[in-house]
């Protein structure tokens, strides 16, 4: 019997040799490490002990026998070859040497795997030497395929766990360094995913698998897009598992957590919609990872019954359980979790992008609760002192911006600032800025409304972000903070905030950054963000655009550009384009400098600078033509297209750029510019240049943005007489529109349908076109599209086709009602744009004399649909077009039984205009026209027949009996507004008002005369004496006397019905 030595003895006796032999096959990672001549520090790390302990332990054991097999000698020779430098022998020899080395490596790995020997050393040496790295990067397709097949074989069927780990690490490097791995993604995906699922069983293997998956998602996202669901489910499952680690387990699994969260951030980059509860759960786990290693690690995100999210009270060091508490960690150890924090912040950014309402009621997680509490004295101040700002920034609560002062890692700070920017950019902040800020100092945070909380957030961010910007030294962090400031400036509704905030941010903070070359571009973008919106119009124009202002940003960028100091031309041109769009009058005094700057930029012949210059000129043309269309003068002292130099420049661009192939951004931008030009501006170009432009636009093939831009230009050109009077041009347009109707691209469909509608509108002889029936089919097809803009364009085109065609001809006779039903059915859709285009189309069809009286438009179905629009549609423009469509009917018989209902609906509509909730601020500009449309339509409908002929019908409907008083009140109210009675106008001004409204006043006078005659003659009239007298006064007076009538002098007439008079 052989006795074993005592366990305390480290010596191996001869009697225990059989025991030693039995242990030998299982000691690959410890005993036989000494058998390899070349090994790195990773060997020592595998022991999980200090180097001194390792040295002492090794010395106590006798060296094991060295494996002198031929295979291991070949491994030694291969490792020596890795560390040699044959590159000095010549390029050809070096490439041949690397190819041979790769072949040898694959052969040795295969033989080692088959002989069940460890692959660790040879793989680590390949990844650790410069020549080995170069070899892996330059593997050809065959060599790479062999390597991947071998690695997947080891990962899938290998029995040594360390071999699986190291092979996955090698695979991760191959994916990242060798672009040829794209072709092998499919066969790598599922073996990697299988290993990702083994987090609990094989943490090291799982970590490397997540690294591989993360690299695949980073480099080949489009290849894995069909597998997005699988990737996300694996990443989410991994997050749930790693978030369950307890405090003692966290430090040893930090890298694994980092790999899982990194993979999750890439998987969230795919456009998709996640359930709200899933997002909430992910957010809670990720938010916890942000504060690992800090005193704030024990907080919990809880939801109240109302859905509001709050943080638990400050943690205590006695907390236990699965909650992580690192209150004993020193400040220097904080950033050992820096990579986990960065990846968690990136995940939160992606979640904001996926769901714009994700941060709903989570604003306090951005900032300290101190920033929202209305009881604090600084909340109602617009100028915060330094101490208040410091309290906002240096808080004792776990919020995202706290990472800016807790962390010393620039990457963490930069990611935190980027997360704030993502919340600003993707959350619908504009729609939530209601009351903005609480003025009640007694309100606590729990009693503040969402808009009040958001108001405090917005205002405080104008102070907090600049505080971090000025206190930060790292340029990467400062750049990211400036980006977030730029996003904040872009979304803030400054018209709801007292003046001074934007001046504070731009003048005291951003302007200083213009002096720093590294921050210059970001600072200019901040001014561009403000110039792109009009909510701070007066303050921004006075302080930063005025020629006499000390801090004129226009003068700054022009002087900077003329000195040719920095290459920031694109940023400067973008700013100037936005200023030209919204503040064009501010450029007038800068025009000579501006023109010199553009010429200087174009001399560089850099594509991006030329693009910026084309964009600026296009913006000017659009704005100038819009002012001319609105009968206003241009703000520029020089008419741009009267400048021979600029005309020559545009002609040069056309001759040079439109001859280039393939299609480039320059050509697309130039076509956009040509499409914005007016007919007068086209006429200033040479005929040959016009021919080149037309030929290019018509011959452009393909799909996507270039084709859409070309169709947009055609849609504008076809409205000009110089083009639509040319039959050859028109035929080319018809062929191009018909040729693109089958294009499924959204942009092409929108522009093609728009060009079709413009063509049908402009051509009076539309039915004479040889392909008229094909155009009609194209319009009908677009009218049935599920896309809003395509559908509205198609309905508009269909309306013009039906207006100009012979509706009794064979083309329409069989299917007229089915075509009309397409138009009428769209009155009920939710989209205002489709609804009002349907109303316009119905009005156009009704104006066609060939429309049969038994068609759908004369049936109650159509009247009821239009009345429903007037009564229930919220959009004022849709209501107005519905009224205009009903006004097109030519006789009272055509209205039928709907006549009384229509008059009643119009009276009620006018009386309730003040109570209407307009969906968009832009609707207010239609309000005056809307009121005039109602009055004009009432006058038209009540004057369709004379009183004697219409009396029986009117009485049967009870229109005047029921609504004579209301009708008079509506008329009086409208006249008071049009004639400005309550404004106390002088006689001369009153005359001008009468002259401006002469047409509708005459119409009102005629209607009042007929109503007065009806009251006098009818024995069944039931109206009050006051109404009768006032109607009589309006009927008998001349329109010149209207401003001085007693009837119109009263504030408002609210008659009461009394018994009839004989």
């Amino acid at each position: 019997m052989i006795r074993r030595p005592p366990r305390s003895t480290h010596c191996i006796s001869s009697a225990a040799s059989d025991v030693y032999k039995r242990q030998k096959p299982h000691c690959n990672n410890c005993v036989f490490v000494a058998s390899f001549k070349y090994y790195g520090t990773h060997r020592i790390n595998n022991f999980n002990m200090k180097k001194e302990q390792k040295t002492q332990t090794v010395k106590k054991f006798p060296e094991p026998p060295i494996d002198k097999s031929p295979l291991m000698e070949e491994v030694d020779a291969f490792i020596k070859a890795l560390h040699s430098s044959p590159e000095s022998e010549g390029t050809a020899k070096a490439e041949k040497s690397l190819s041979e080395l790769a072949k040898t490596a694959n052969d040795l790995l295969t033989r080692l795997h088959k002989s069940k020997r460890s692959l660790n050393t040879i793989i680590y040496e390949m990844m650790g030497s410069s020549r080995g790295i170069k070899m892996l990067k330059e593997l050809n397709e065959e060599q790479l395929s062999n390597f991947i097949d071998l690695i997947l074989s080891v990962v899938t069927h290998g029995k040594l766990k360390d071999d699986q780990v190291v092979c996955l690490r090698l695979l991760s490097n191959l994916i990242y360094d060798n672009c040829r791995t794209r072709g092998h993604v499919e066969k790598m995906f599922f073996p990697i995913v299988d290993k990702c699922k083994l987090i609990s069983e094989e943490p090291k293997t799982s970590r490397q698998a997540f690294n591989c998956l993360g690299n695949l998602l980073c480099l080949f996202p489009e290849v894995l897009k069909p597998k997005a669901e699988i990737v996300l489910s694996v990443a989410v499952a991994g997050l749930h598992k790693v978030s369950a680690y307890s405090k003692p387990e966290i430090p040893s699994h930090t890298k694994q957590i980092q790999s899982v969260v990194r993979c999750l951030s890439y998987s969230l980059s795919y456009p998709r919609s996640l359930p709200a509860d899933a997002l909430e759960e992910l957010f809670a786990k990720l938010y916890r990872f942000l504060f690992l290693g800090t005193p704030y690690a024990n907080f919990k995100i809880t939801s109240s019954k109302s859905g509001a999210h709050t943080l638990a009270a400050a943690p205590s060091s006695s907390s236990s359980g699965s909650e992580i508490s690192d209150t004993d960690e020193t400040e220097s150890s904080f950033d050992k979790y820096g990579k986990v924090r960065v990846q968690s912040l990136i995940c939160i950014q992606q979640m904001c992008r996926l769901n714009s309402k994700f941060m709903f009621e989570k604003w306090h997680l951005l900032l300290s609760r101190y920033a929202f509490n209305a009881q604090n004295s600084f909340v109602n101040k617009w100028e915060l002192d330094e101490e208040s700002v410091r309290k906002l920034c240096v808080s004792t609560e776990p919020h995202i911006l706290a990472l800016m002062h807790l962390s010393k890692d620039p990457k963490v700070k930069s990611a935190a600032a980027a997360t704030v920017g993502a919340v600003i950019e993707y959350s619908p902040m504009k729609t939530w800025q209601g009351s903005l800020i609480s003025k009640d100092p007694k309100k606590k945070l729990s009693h503040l409304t969402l808009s009040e909380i958001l108001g405090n957030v917005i205002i405080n961010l104008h102070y907090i972000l600049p505080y971090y910007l000025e206190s930060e030294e790292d340029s990467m962090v400062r750049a990211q903070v400036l980006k977030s400031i730029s996003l904040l400036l872009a979304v803030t509704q400054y018209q709801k905030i007292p003046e001074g905030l934007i001046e504070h941010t731009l003048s005291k903070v951003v302007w200083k950054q213009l002096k720093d070359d590294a921050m210059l571009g970001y600072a200019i973008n901040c001014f561009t963000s403000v110039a792109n919106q009009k909510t701070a119009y007066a303050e921004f124009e006075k302080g930063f655009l005025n020629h006499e202002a000390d801090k004129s940003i226009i003068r700054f960028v022009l002087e900077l550009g003329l000195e040719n100091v920095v290459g920031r031309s694109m940023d400067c041109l973008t700013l100037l384009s936005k200023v030209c769009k919204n503040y064009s009058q501010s450029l007038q005094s800068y025009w000579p400098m501006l023109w010199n700057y553009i010429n200087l930029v174009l001399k560089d012949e850099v594509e991006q600078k030329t693009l910026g210059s084309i964009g600026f000129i296009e913006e000017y043309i659009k704005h100038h033509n819009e002012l001319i269309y609105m009968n206003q003068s241009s703000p520029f002292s020089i008419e741009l297209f009267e400048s021979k130099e600029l005309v020559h420049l545009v002609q040069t661009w056309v001759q040079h750029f439109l001859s280039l192939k393939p299609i480039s951004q320059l050509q697309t931008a130039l076509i956009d510019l040509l499409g914005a030009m007016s007919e007068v501006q086209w006429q200033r170009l040479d005929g040959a240049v016009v021919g080149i432009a037309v030929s290019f636009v018509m011959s452009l093939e393909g799909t996507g943005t270039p084709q859409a831009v070309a169709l947009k230009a055609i849609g504008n050109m076809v409205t000009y007489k110089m083009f639509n009077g040319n039959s050859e041009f028109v035929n080319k347009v018809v062929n191009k529109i018909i040729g693109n109707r089958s294009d499924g691209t959204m942009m092409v469909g929108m522009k093609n349908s728009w060009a079709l509608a413009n063509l049908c509108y402009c051509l009076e002889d539309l039915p004479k076109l040889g392909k008229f029936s094909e155009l009609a089919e194209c319009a009908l097809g677009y009218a049935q599209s599920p896309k809003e803009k395509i559908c509205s364009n198609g309905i508009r085109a269909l309306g013009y086709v039906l207006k100009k065609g012979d509706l009794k001809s064979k083309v329409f006779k069989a299917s007229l009602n089915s075509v009309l039903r397409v138009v009428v059915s769209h009155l009920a859709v939710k989209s205002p744009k489709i609804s009002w285009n349907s109303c316009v189309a119905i009005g156009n069809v009704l104006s066609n004399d060939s429309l049969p009286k038994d068609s759908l438009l004369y049936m109650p179905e159509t009247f009821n649909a239009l009345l429903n629009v007037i009564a229930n549609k919220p959009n004022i423009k849709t209501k107005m077009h519905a009224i205009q469509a009903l006004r097109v009917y030519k006789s009272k018989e055509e209205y039928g039984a709907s006549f009384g209902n229509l008059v009643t609906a119009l009276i009620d509509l006018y009386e309730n205009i003040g109570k209407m909730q307009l969906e968009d601020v832009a609707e207010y500009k239609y309000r005056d026209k809307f009121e005039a449309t109602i009055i004009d339509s009432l006058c038209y409908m009540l004057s369709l027949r004379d009183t004697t002929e219409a009396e029986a019908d009117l009485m049967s409907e009870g229109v005047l009996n029921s609504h004579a008083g209301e009708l008079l009140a509506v008329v009086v109210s409208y006249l008071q507004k049009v004639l400005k009675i309550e404004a106390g106008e002088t006689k001369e001004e009153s005359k001008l008002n009468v002259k401006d409204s002469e047409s509708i006043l005459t119409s009102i006078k005629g209607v009042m005369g007929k109503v007065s005659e009806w009251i006098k003659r009818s024995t069944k009239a039931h109206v009050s004496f006051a109404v009768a007298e006032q109607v009589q006064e309006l009927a008998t007076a001349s329109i010149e006397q209207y401003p001085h009538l007693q009837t119109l002098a009263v504030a408002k007439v609210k008659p009461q019905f009394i018994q009839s008079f004989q």
Side-chain angles (χ1 to χ4, degrees):
M1 179 177 178
I2 301 175
R3 294 188 61 186
R4 295 183 182 179
R7 289 190 179 272
S8 59
T9 306
H10 58 266
C11 298
I12 303 174
S13 65
S14 57
S17 59
D18 59 333
V19 178
Y20 173 79
K21 290 176 183 177
R22 288 198 299 270
Q23 292 176 344
K24 182 176 178 180
H26 307 288
C27 298
N28 288 311
N29 291 331
C30 50
V31 177
F32 283 104
V33 67
S35 65
F36 297 113
K37 189 173 184 180
Y38 300 94
Y39 61 95
T41 56
H42 61 276
R43 282 299 173 192
I44 298 177
N45 292 337
N46 283 344
F47 285 96
N48 197 19
M49 58 181 70
K50 295 181 180 179
K51 291 184 179 180
E52 306 85 54
Q53 294 174 333
K54 171 65 185 173
T55 306
Q56 295 173 2
T57 305
V58 171
K59 286 180 179 179
K60 292 179 182 179
F61 285 92
E63 292 188 4
I66 299 176
D67 190 346
K68 295 183 179 181
S69 64
L71 177 58
M72 299 311 298
E73 290 179 358
E74 291 181 40
V75 170
D76 288 345
F78 171 76
I79 293 174
K80 289 180 181 178
L82 280 178
H83 291 277
S84 61
S85 302
E87 287 83 359
S88 57
E89 299 176 5
T91 305
K93 287 185 177 180
E95 290 180 358
K96 183 179 179 181
S97 175
L98 285 176
S99 178
E100 292 175 353
L101 207 60
K103 186 177 180 181
T104 303
N106 186 69
D107 178 62
L108 288 175
L109 288 171
T110 303
R111 290 162 61 192
L112 285 170
H113 177 55
K114 288 182 178 179
S115 62
K116 298 182 180 181
R117 285 182 168 88
S118 175
L119 310 179
N120 283 17
T121 301
I122 187 170
I123 290 179
Y124 274 118
E125 291 295 341
M126 286 166 53
M127 294 187 294
S129 64
S130 59
R131 195 157 180 239
I133 294 172
K134 187 175 181 181
M135 176 197 74
L136 294 174
K137 287 182 179 181
E138 297 181 7
L139 291 174
N140 59 36
E141 187 63 38
E142 182 182 359
Q143 293 168 342
L144 180 65
S145 179
N146 293 335
F147 261 91
I148 292 175
D149 289 341
L150 174 62
I151 290 171
L152 294 179
S153 176
V154 174
V155 169
T156 307
H157 306 293
K159 295 183 179 180
L160 298 177
K161 300 303 180 185
D162 283 356
D163 282 358
Q164 294 183 15
V165 173
V166 76
C167 283
L168 283 170
R169 184 172 177 182
L170 175 61
L171 183 61
S172 178
N173 288 355
L174 281 175
I175 293 169
Y176 197 82
D177 293 333
N178 198 314
C179 61
R180 297 187 184 93
T181 52
R182 174 186 292 270
H184 304 276
V185 172
E186 289 291 335
K187 68 179 180 182
M188 290 188 290
F189 178 74
F190 286 105
I192 290 174
V193 166
D194 290 340
K195 291 299 178 182
C196 287
K197 298 176 182 178
L198 304 177
I199 291 181
S200 303
E201 299 84 353
E202 301 176 17
K204 292 183 180 180
T205 306
S206 175
R207 176 201 158 201
Q208 295 299 338
F210 271 109
N211 284 340
C212 291
L213 186 57
N215 286 350
L216 287 176
L217 291 168
C218 174
L219 299 173
F220 315 116
E222 68 286 353
V223 180
L224 291 179
K225 192 172 183 179
K227 298 180 175 62
E229 294 288 341
I230 300 174
V231 171
L232 183 62
S233 63
V234 170
V236 170
L239 181 69
H240 289 326
K241 289 184 179 180
V242 297
S243 62
Y245 287 136
S246 61
K247 176 188 173 181
E249 294 174 317
I250 288 289
S252 60
H253 291 88
T254 302
K255 291 184 178 180
Q256 186 183 33
I257 296 172
Q258 173 198 335
S259 299
V260 172
V261 178
R262 172 176 176 262
C263 184
L264 178 63
S265 69
Y266 287 126
S267 66
L268 289 171
S269 64
Y270 292 109
R272 52 178 293 110
S273 58
L274 288 174
D277 55 345
L279 281 174
E280 295 291 346
E281 188 176 2
L282 288 179
F283 179 76
K285 296 180 184 303
L286 291 168
Y287 203 79
R288 242 179 102 215
F289 287 151
L290 296 180
F291 300 97
L292 293 176
T294 73
Y296 312 122
N298 272 347
F299 71 88
K300 288 183 179 180
I301 299 178
T302 59
S303 298
S304 64
K305 293 181 180 179
S306 62
H309 289 74
T310 58
L311 296 177
S316 63
S317 58
S318 60
S319 300
S320 60
S322 62
E323 292 294 332
I324 305 162
S325 176
D326 290 322
T327 53
D328 55 338
E329 297 284 353
T330 61
E331 185 178 355
S332 60
S333 68
F334 174 79
D335 284 332
K336 72 180 181 181
Y337 301 109
K339 292 183 178 180
V340 176
R341 268 182 270 280
V342 170
Q343 296 301 330
S344 299
L345 287 166
I346 293 173
C347 283
I348 294 174
Q349 295 168 31
Q350 297 284 23
M351 292 160 76
C352 291
R353 181 187 60 81
L354 287 175
N355 189 335
S356 62
K357 296 182 180 179
F358 168 65
M359 289 302 292
F360 190 81
E361 296 185 347
K362 294 193 187 72
W363 299 101
H364 58 284
L365 300 181
L366 282 177
L367 305 171
S368 167
R369 292 165 64 90
Y370 180 81
F372 308 127
N373 195 341
Q375 289 182 313
N376 294 312
S377 59
F378 69 87
V379 168
N380 292 316
K381 298 178 182 178
W382 303 105
E383 187 74 24
L384 303 190
D385 53 41
E386 292 184 3
E387 180 61 23
S388 296
V389 175
R390 192 192 67 79
K391 288 181 179 179
L392 284 172
C393 300
V394 185
S395 70
T396 58
E397 294 180 12
H399 55 84
I400 291 177
L401 277 175
L403 296 171
M404 294 287 290
H405 67 85
L406 286 173
S407 177
K408 295 182 179 180
D409 187 349
K411 292 182 179 179
V412 175
K413 293 183 178 182
S414 181
T419 304
V420 175
V423 173
I424 294 171
E425 180 179 8
Y426 297 118
S427 298
M429 294 184 74
K430 288 187 178 181
T431 61
W432 289 353
Q433 297 180 54
S435 58
L436 275 183
I437 186 167
S438 172
K439 296 296 183 182
D440 185 1
K442 296 181 180 180
K443 276 193 174 183
K444 296 183 178 180
L445 178 60
S446 58
H447 301 298
L448 293 177
T449 65
L450 176 63
S451 58
E452 290 170 340
I453 290 176
L454 179 59
N456 288 336
V457 171
I458 291 170
I459 293 169
N460 292 324
L461 282 175
H462 279 78
Y463 290 94
I464 294 172
L465 291 176
Y467 173 86
Y468 286 125
L469 178 66
E470 294 178 345
S471 61
E472 185 58 50
E473 296 181 359
D474 188 89
S475 59
M476 178 179 69
V477 180
R478 290 171 60 211
Q480 192 58 63
V481 174
L482 261 180
K483 287 181 183 179
S484 297
I485 292 175
S486 176
L487 292 168
L488 179 67
L489 293 170
V491 303
T492 303
Q493 301 293 291
Y494 290 102
Q495 79 275 15
K496 297 182 179 180
I497 298 177
E499 293 185 7
L501 191 61
I502 192 170
E503 195 278 335
H504 160 81
T505 307
L506 291 180
S507 178
K508 296 183 180 180
V509 180
V510 179
W511 189 268
K512 297 178 183 178
Q513 307 304 318
L514 293 171
K515 300 176 183 179
D516 186 345
D517 288 349
M519 298 295 109
L520 179 60
Y522 304 109
I524 292 175
N525 289 339
C526 289
F527 285 94
T528 304
S529 296
V530 181
N532 196 35
Q533 60 162 317
K534 295 184 178 181
T535 61
Y537 195 93
E539 189 177 357
F540 182 62
E541 184 179 32
K542 180 181 178 181
F544 302 98
L545 301 181
N546 193 296
H547 185 67
E548 298 178 356
D550 295 335
K551 296 179 179 179
S552 169
I553 186 62
I554 301 177
R555 184 172 61 247
F556 176 85
V557 297
L558 291 178
E559 290 176 351
L560 193 69
L562 291 173
E563 292 173 7
N564 203 20
V565 176
V566 293
R568 289 290 178 184
S569 299
M570 280 306 299
D571 295 324
C572 296
L573 285 168
T574 303
L575 171 62
L576 294 172
S577 296
K578 299 305 179 184
V579 172
C580 182
K581 177 182 178 181
N582 296 320
Y583 302 85
S584 55
Q585 67 280 358
S586 301
L587 291 177
Q588 182 175 358
S589 54
Y590 299 99
W591 185 247
M593 289 178 65
L594 185 59
W595 181 239
N596 292 335
Y597 173 71
I598 291 175
N599 285 326
L600 181 64
V601 168
L602 292 173
K603 284 182 181 178
D604 291 346
E605 296 184 355
V606 177
E607 181 176 346
Q608 290 299 319
K609 294 183 179 181
T610 306
L611 275 172
S613 302
I614 293 174
F616 171 76
I617 295 173
E618 178 194 352
E619 203 61 61
Y620 162 77
I621 290 173
K622 286 180 180 178
H623 185 73
H624 173 76
N625 292 343
E626 182 181 352
L627 292 176
I628 299 300
Y629 177 76
M630 298 171 64
N631 296 321
Q632 298 180 19
S633 59
S634 174
F636 294 98
S637 57
I638 302 175
E639 162 54 54
L640 192 60
F641 253 78
E642 290 179 357
S643 168
K644 293 182 180 179
E645 292 83 1
L646 184 58
V647 172
H648 174 71
L649 178 62
V650 173
Q651 292 186 151
T652 304
W653 281 343
V654 171
Q655 292 170 333
H656 176 65
F657 294 137
L658 297 189
S659 61
L660 299 177
K661 290 184 180 181
I663 303 299
S664 66
Q665 285 184 316
L666 281 171
Q667 292 169 318
T668 304
L670 184 56
I671 294 301
D672 236 344
L673 185 151
L674 294 173
M677 287 166 46
S678 66
E679 185 173 10
V680 174
Q681 292 159 351
W682 272 101
Q683 290 170 345
R684 291 199 176 116
L685 300 179
D686 293 342
V689 173
V690 174
I692 293 173
V694 171
S695 176
F696 178 84
V697 170
M698 292 300 177
S699 61
L700 189 63
E701 297 179 352
T703 186
T705 302
Q707 188 67 266
V709 170
L711 288 167
K712 180 183 175 182
I714 290 172
N716 278 322
M717 293 161 66
V718 80
T719 61
Y720 304 149
K721 290 184 179 179
M722 65 178 289
F723 291 116
N724 61 39
N726 186 320
S727 59
E728 183 181 356
F729 175 84
V730 170
N731 288 329
K732 288 181 179 180
V733 172
V734 170
N735 291 331
K736 190 167 185 67
I737 290 174
I738 294 174
N740 281 293
R741 66 177 174 176
S742 59
D743 193 308
T745 309
M746 177 70 174
M747 286 298 297
V748 174
M750 285 169 49
K751 302 307 178 184
N752 199 49
S753 58
W754 182 71
L756 171 63
N758 287 358
L759 176 70
C760 296
Y761 167 73
C762 294
L763 294 185
E764 292 299 329
D765 56 350
L766 183 66
K768 297 180 181 179
L769 292 176
K771 296 185 177 181
F772 174 69
S773 59
E774 293 183 57
L775 285 177
E777 291 176 4
C778 185
L780 181 61
Y782 281 135
Q784 295 172 302
S785 171
K787 304 297 184 182
E788 180 191 32
K789 293 186 178 180
I790 297 176
C791 178
S792 60
N793 289 333
I795 290 173
R796 189 163 69 96
L798 190 59
Y800 293 126
V801 168
L802 296 173
K803 177 183 179 180
K804 298 177 181 181
D806 183 3
L807 301 183
K808 295 180 180 178
S809 65
K810 294 181 180 180
V811 177
F812 297 104
K813 189 173 182 180
S815 59
L816 178 61
N817 274 346
S818 61
V819 173
L820 291 175
R821 195 171 298 279
V822 171
V823 178
V824 174
S825 64
H826 282 92
L827 291 172
V829 300
K830 187 177 180 180
S831 167
K833 193 177 186 69
I834 294 177
S835 296
W836 80 56
N837 275 288
S838 299
C839 295
V840 173
I842 289 173
N844 286 332
V845 180
L846 287 169
S847 64
N848 190 332
D849 295 333
S850 65
L851 178 67
K853 296 298 181 181
D854 60 348
S855 68
L856 179 65
L857 298 190
Y858 292 104
M859 296 180 183
E861 178 183 341
T862 302
F863 286 106
N864 292 336
L866 288 169
L867 284 171
N868 180 62
V869 170
I870 294 173
N872 299 319
K873 286 287 183 179
N875 186 270
I876 196 171
K877 190 176 178 182
T878 307
K879 291 177 182 284
M880 185 171 64
H881 283 300
I883 295 170
Q884 290 172 344
L886 284 165
R887 193 190 184 285
V888 181
Y889 290 95
K890 301 176 181 63
S891 65
K892 190 165 174 295
E893 288 84 358
E894 293 182 359
Y895 288 103
S898 302
F899 180 77
N901 294 334
L902 176 57
V903 174
T904 303
L906 292 178
I907 292 173
D908 291 342
L909 186 61
Y910 189 90
E911 288 180 335
N912 294 299
I913 284 178
K915 300 178 182 178
M916 291 178 59
Q917 297 290 332
L918 302 185
E919 291 184 331
D920 192 349
V921 177
E923 292 186 56
Y924 282 98
K925 67 182 179 181
Y926 297 108
R927 183 160 177 167
D928 291 341
K929 188 177 180 181
F930 180 52
E931 293 178 1
T933 302
I934 296 174
I935 299 298
D936 181 60
S937 299
L938 277 171
C939 293
Y940 170 77
M941 293 171 189
L942 292 175
S943 62
L944 281 175
R945 288 189 173 193
D946 61 42
T947 307
T948 56
E949 292 176 341
E951 180 180 342
D953 293 332
L954 286 171
M955 294 309 300
S956 65
E957 297 293 335
V959 175
L960 287 181
N961 266 336
S962 302
H963 299 288
E966 285 86 345
L967 175 63
L968 177 63
V970 165
V971 170
V972 169
S973 175
Y974 180 72
L975 290 174
Q976 287 174 342
K977 183 175 182 179
V978 170
L979 299 175
K980 301 180 181 177
I981 301 296
E982 296 176 355
E985 299 290 313
T986 63
K987 290 183 178 181
E988 291 74 15
E989 291 171 333
S990 298
K991 289 180 180 179
L992 290 174
N993 294 334
V994 170
K995 187 176 180 181
D996 292 339
S997 308
E998 183 175 356
S999 175
I1000 195 166
L1001 291 179
T1002 303
S1003 178
I1004 290 173
K1005 175 179 168 59
V1007 171
M1008 291 296 102
K1010 291 189 176 185
V1011 174
S1012 177
E1013 287 297 317
W1014 172 77
I1015 293 173
K1016 289 179 180 179
R1017 295 181 183 181
S1018 174
T1019 59
K1020 298 179 181 180
H1022 294 271
V1023 295
S1024 68
F1025 289 102
V1027 170
E1029 289 176 359
Q1030 292 173 44
V1031 169
Q1032 176 69 16
E1033 187 177 17
L1034 289 171
T1036 56
S1038 64
I1039 60 174
E1040 288 77 11
Q1041 294 174 327
Y1042 270 22
H1044 314 291
L1045 294 179
Q1046 183 62 29
T1047 298
L1048 300 181
V1050 295
K1052 184 144 185 174
V1053 178
K1054 293 183 179 179
Q1056 300 294 327
F1057 289 100
I1058 60 175
Q1059 295 201 359
S1060 63
F1061 61 95
Q1062 295 291 329

